[in-house]
Amino acid sequence: MEQGIVIVFLAVCMPAMAGKLPDYIIPCKADNTLNECSLRNGREVIPKIIKGDPKFRIPRLDPLLISKLAVNQGTSQVGLNLTLRDSNILGLKATQFTGSRMDLAKKHVEWDFFVPRIEIVGGYKAAGKILVLPIVGNGLGNITLLNMNITYKFDYKLDRIKGEDYVRITTAKLKFDSTRMYIRMENLFNGDRLLGEAMHQFLDQNWKEVLAELGPSVGDAIGTVFKLIFTNVASSVPFRHIFLT
């Protein structure tokens, strides 16, 4: 499977060099209360960080612009080339932080989130087949996911820079499940109304199978958001300011 994702952030690759955590992020002690503390404090952070923070080069996250999300699938059931361009992710402002499992000794973190509804809206281009049916189209599209349970896992290491330790993510993965997915694409089959309606009916009836194929690319797109937010903060604030000893 090949897939490509490009997300537009404001100079996101440049370190913010802020030195201290934002006032709205309260650090936790690195003891047996860490998970409870991070869950409690994290719930307070989400509504504020969604609004963006120019100091840490975090833009407003709802809506969030995706310049490109590409899915190139080739399996026994799906042979699909699907590209979304200049799309917006809508709904992240309703994100709920539901679980935290942090092991500082192993440098491993797992966070759980729940999002009631996410929409990806924008231009699309599709060619190939989904399950047993051919598909082709070019126009405006909408992918809607309901009741998403998300788990974001990452490992990190500490880089020593000018006498201070900074967190750097080494591996990361986002997985999710959803109770329903809807896909709507205008101008399928060059605007053929009957074929377009038949495809949408097929997608509705087989949404679980389609989600199993498209899910990894959508998960990678959302996971990139998580990683860039954390990286922008963690690369600018020494480890000792994030976790108090």
Side-chain angles (χ1 to χ4, degrees):
M1 179 192 309
E2 295 180 358
Q3 49 200 14
I5 299 153
V6 179
I7 295 182
V8 174
F9 273 83
L10 306 179
V12 73
C13 294
M14 298 176 61
M17 302 305 292
K20 293 184 178 180
L21 286 172
D23 293 340
Y24 53 83
I25 299 180
I26 302 174
C28 294
K29 291 184 177 180
D31 57 20
N32 58 8
T33 67
L34 177 59
N35 287 325
E36 178 184 351
C37 174
S38 63
L39 184 60
R40 180 179 62 251
N41 293 351
R43 287 171 173 166
E44 299 295 326
V45 168
I46 289 175
K48 297 171 183 174
I49 206 165
I50 288 292
K51 297 177 181 178
D53 189 336
K55 187 175 182 180
F56 289 89
R57 291 178 170 82
I58 299 172
R60 189 175 184 87
L61 301 177
D62 196 349
L64 175 68
L65 175 65
I66 305 177
S67 63
K68 180 180 179 182
L69 188 158
V71 181
N72 301 304
Q73 305 279 22
T75 70
S76 59
Q77 291 186 308
V78 176
L80 174 65
N81 293 320
L82 172 65
T83 302
L84 303 177
R85 292 187 181 275
D86 299 325
S87 302
N88 284 302
I89 294 181
L90 307 167
L92 290 175
K93 63 184 178 183
T95 300
Q96 302 169 27
F97 191 18
T98 58
S100 176
R101 296 171 299 282
M102 307 176 70
D103 190 328
L104 300 186
K106 295 182 179 179
K107 297 181 174 61
H108 179 77
V109 175
E110 297 183 8
W111 289 331
D112 300 326
F113 302 89
F114 174 76
V115 187
R117 181 188 183 97
I118 278 184
E119 292 186 53
I120 304 176
V121 183
Y124 84 93
K125 184 175 182 180
K129 67 175 182 177
I130 294 183
L131 303 183
V132 298
L133 293 185
I135 183 171
V136 63
N138 188 352
L140 294 178
N142 180 309
I143 298 175
T144 298
L145 294 157
L146 302 183
N147 300 318
M148 292 181 65
N149 286 293
I150 297 170
T151 296
Y152 182 62
K153 301 179 181 181
F154 67 89
D155 297 292
Y156 67 90
K157 65 178 296 185
L158 296 178
D159 290 337
R160 193 74 173 175
I161 302 174
K162 295 182 178 180
E164 293 281 7
D165 289 326
Y166 291 84
V167 173
R168 176 167 60 86
I169 293 178
T170 55
T171 62
K173 187 66 177 179
L174 183 144
K175 294 185 177 181
F176 72 91
D177 59 44
S178 171
T179 62
R180 192 66 165 90
M181 180 178 73
Y182 298 95
I183 299 179
R184 293 293 179 269
M185 292 180 281
E186 296 182 1
N187 197 42
L188 283 171
F189 306 103
N190 296 316
D192 187 304
R193 183 176 61 83
L194 292 179
L195 288 178
E197 289 179 356
M199 174 56 71
H200 283 132
Q201 184 177 3
F202 180 82
L203 293 173
D204 282 344
Q205 293 173 345
N206 297 276
W207 70 268
K208 290 183 179 180
E209 292 80 4
V210 177
L211 178 59
E213 299 293 338
L214 301 185
S217 293
V218 175
D220 283 350
I222 300 172
T224 301
V225 177
F226 281 61
K227 182 176 180 179
L228 290 175
I229 292 172
F230 185 80
T231 296
N232 264 22
V233 175
S235 65
S236 306
V237 179
F239 182 81
R240 63 185 176 89
H241 291 318
I242 299 176
F243 300 110
L244 304 177
T245 57

